[in-house]
Amino acid sequence: MLIEALFYVFGAVLIGAALAVISARNPVYSALALVMCFITSAAIWLLIEAEFLAVVLVLVYVGAVMVLFLFVVMMLDVTWRSCARDSPASPGSAGSRPWR
């Protein structure tokens, strides 16, 4: 009974974090929500007594892949304003001037 309740709680948190991954506008917030997805997935693995898989999930994905992803996002420093400013359809860019 307790394990079923924990499963539903972790499942609800996992679905909420997955929705946050795809709906966040900031890539850092999206990456942090993805870390929450990995942690709750590991908790579900622990509920079915697959400890090795839970530890590997946390160590490999959260410990390595997500740190690398956050490092790249921080190094690139991509903002929506810079993307919109450099697009050809934005006012004031070279693509919107008819004489160029």
Side-chain angles (χ1 to χ4, degrees):
M1 183 71 169
L2 177 66
I3 292 178
E4 289 179 14
L6 285 174
F7 174 77
Y8 287 119
V9 168
F10 287 136
V13 171
L14 181 61
I15 290 172
L19 290 174
V21 168
I22 61 173
S23 65
R25 292 198 180 267
N26 191 342
V28 176
Y29 294 150
S30 179
L32 291 176
L34 191 58
V35 168
M36 179 60 88
C37 286
F38 289 148
I39 290 173
T40 54
S41 297
I44 292 174
W45 281 107
L46 286 174
L47 286 177
I48 61 172
E49 298 177 358
E51 293 87 6
F52 177 74
L53 293 176
V55 169
V56 167
L57 180 81
V58 170
L59 287 179
V60 171
Y61 285 108
V62 176
V65 174
M66 290 310 300
V67 169
L68 180 65
F69 179 72
L70 285 174
F71 179 73
V72 168
V73 166
M74 295 290 186
M75 289 298 292
L76 290 178
D77 193 31
V78 176
T79 60
W80 286 108
R81 284 188 214 142
S82 66
C83 292
R85 185 183 64 231
D86 295 336
S87 70
S90 65
S93 65
S96 65
R97 295 181 191 148
W99 61 84
R100 273 190 156 181

